[in-house]
Amino acid sequence: MLLTRRLAIFALAATVLTGCATSTANLSTATVGDYRETIDLAGRLSVNYQKDGRPESISGSFNWEQRPGTIDVTLMSPLGQTVAAINVTPGSATLTQGGEAPRTAADIDSLTQQTLGWPLPVSGLRDWLQGYAVDAQGQRFRASPASNSVTTKDGWRLRFVDWQDAAGGAAGGASAAPVPRLIQAERAASGDIQDLAIRIVVNPAA
């Protein structure tokens, strides 16, 4: 009876492993397209974290305008009201909330944590939204549906969960480069923030 049970367990494990191998084999190995300095994107994000032992949760939408040397980000509430406007240049970052005076700092990630209460990794998103990152060894990571996770040099655990086309290519054909649709970013700690998790959904290009 014990031997039969063990054989059943082994058979189940083999089935699970075979299924995983099959699903991985079916994923496209085509990497994302060449990096672009000029992009216009929109999407939604949700943020969950712990602060002072209490869970916090935020959700909303964003507009992302990127040009050579500058990034403009608008964060909006679920009702479409502007929560913050961010401008980043090589030398400085500015964040404006509501009717308050703009706040400026050299580092945008620190500035967002000071003003929003949690760090929005704008410097990382510059790469992530296009399926790129710098890994823990300082090497350039270029995502594909088959190679979709990486730990960044500054400690973020990234996973490119879903793509604009499930087969890894755009509607124009299998040879088209895949485009990220759903990105999950997690970090154990950042200052007084613990268990930070950001879920980013990128809208299809118009």
Side-chain angles (χ1 to χ4, degrees):
M1 183 69 176
L2 180 59
L3 178 59
T4 302
R5 183 178 299 173
R6 286 179 176 172
L7 288 174
I9 291 173
F10 288 145
L12 177 61
T15 301
V16 171
L17 290 174
T18 302
C20 292
T22 301
S23 61
T24 301
N26 288 338
L27 294 176
S28 170
T29 58
T31 59
V32 294
D34 292 339
Y35 187 82
R36 294 172 292 156
E37 292 290 345
T38 299
I39 58 170
D40 292 286
L41 297 173
R44 305 181 306 280
L45 59 81
S46 59
V47 184
N48 292 280
Y49 59 91
Q50 293 271 344
K51 186 173 184 178
D52 299 326
R54 295 177 300 185
E56 302 284 350
S57 181
I58 298 166
S59 63
S61 59
F62 69 90
N63 287 329
W64 179 282
E65 297 180 7
Q66 180 176 318
R67 301 292 181 270
T70 184
I71 297 173
D72 287 292
V73 186
T74 304
L75 300 179
M76 291 160 287
S77 72
L79 298 178
Q81 299 169 320
T82 298
V83 174
I86 300 168
N87 173 262
V88 183
T89 62
S92 67
T94 302
L95 189 150
T96 306
Q97 285 183 293
E100 300 178 13
R103 298 183 63 175
T104 302
D107 176 62
I108 183 57
D109 295 356
S110 299
L111 179 60
T112 57
Q113 181 155 348
Q114 293 168 10
T115 54
L116 302 177
W118 53 277
L120 176 66
V122 175
S123 54
L125 284 166
R126 178 185 177 91
D127 282 340
W128 305 351
L129 291 172
Q130 297 190 53
Y132 284 82
V134 177
D135 69 18
Q137 289 72 45
Q139 301 298 311
R140 189 73 161 159
F141 173 81
R142 187 168 178 168
S144 74
S147 177
N148 65 354
S149 61
V150 63
T151 298
T152 69
K153 190 174 183 178
D154 52 354
W156 287 93
R157 298 186 303 276
L158 295 182
R159 186 166 175 244
F160 297 88
V161 179
D162 198 11
W163 302 82
Q164 300 293 352
D165 179 80
S175 61
V179 177
R181 190 190 77 85
L182 173 59
I183 306 165
Q184 290 181 346
E186 298 179 350
R187 194 173 183 181
S190 179
D192 60 348
I193 302 294
Q194 290 81 43
D195 300 326
L196 177 61
I198 304 177
R199 184 178 186 270
I200 305 151
V201 178
V202 183
N203 295 341

